Amino acid sequence: MVYEEYYGEKLSSNDVIIFLDGNKTNLSIDNLMKLTRSELVRFNQMQLHGDNPDLNMSAALLAKIKAKVGKQSKGE
């Protein structure tokens, strides 16, 4: 709800919110990042995430890139 209210967009069933510092009680907007489920799979596969928000942000952005490249390779 915090993410939706701040950005004024409704999340789809394909969207997930990750907590960049790993703390699910930290609802600061700076701690929330939206990923698609396919991006989340790549994020988890890379095993780069931990309790460092900067590293998690970088890993999430890399997951977004990899998901996008994967879709383009498949012609989606």
Side-chain angles (χ1 to χ4, degrees):
M1 289 175 47
V2 172
Y3 186 93
E4 288 179 331
E5 286 178 19
Y6 185 84
Y7 288 104
E9 67 176 276
K10 183 83 172 145
L11 298 176
S12 75
S13 60
N14 191 43
D15 295 327
V16 295
I17 299 297
I18 62 168
F19 298 85
L20 294 172
D21 69 358
N23 179 357
K24 293 181 181 181
T25 62
N26 179 358
L27 299 176
S28 167
I29 197 65
D30 295 336
N31 191 42
L32 307 178
M33 184 172 192
K34 179 177 78 166
L35 296 177
T36 64
R37 293 191 184 277
S38 63
E39 292 166 350
L40 181 63
V41 168
R42 284 178 169 62
F43 178 76
N44 288 326
Q45 285 173 339
M46 289 186 296
Q47 298 180 356
L48 295 175
H49 51 80
D51 59 0
N52 181 319
D54 292 331
L55 178 60
N56 290 338
M57 173 69 83
S58 298
L61 293 172
L62 184 56
K64 286 179 171 283
I65 292 168
K66 286 185 172 223
K68 186 75 166 182
V69 168
K71 282 184 179 182
Q72 288 183 343
S73 297
K74 292 179 182 177
E76 295 179 20

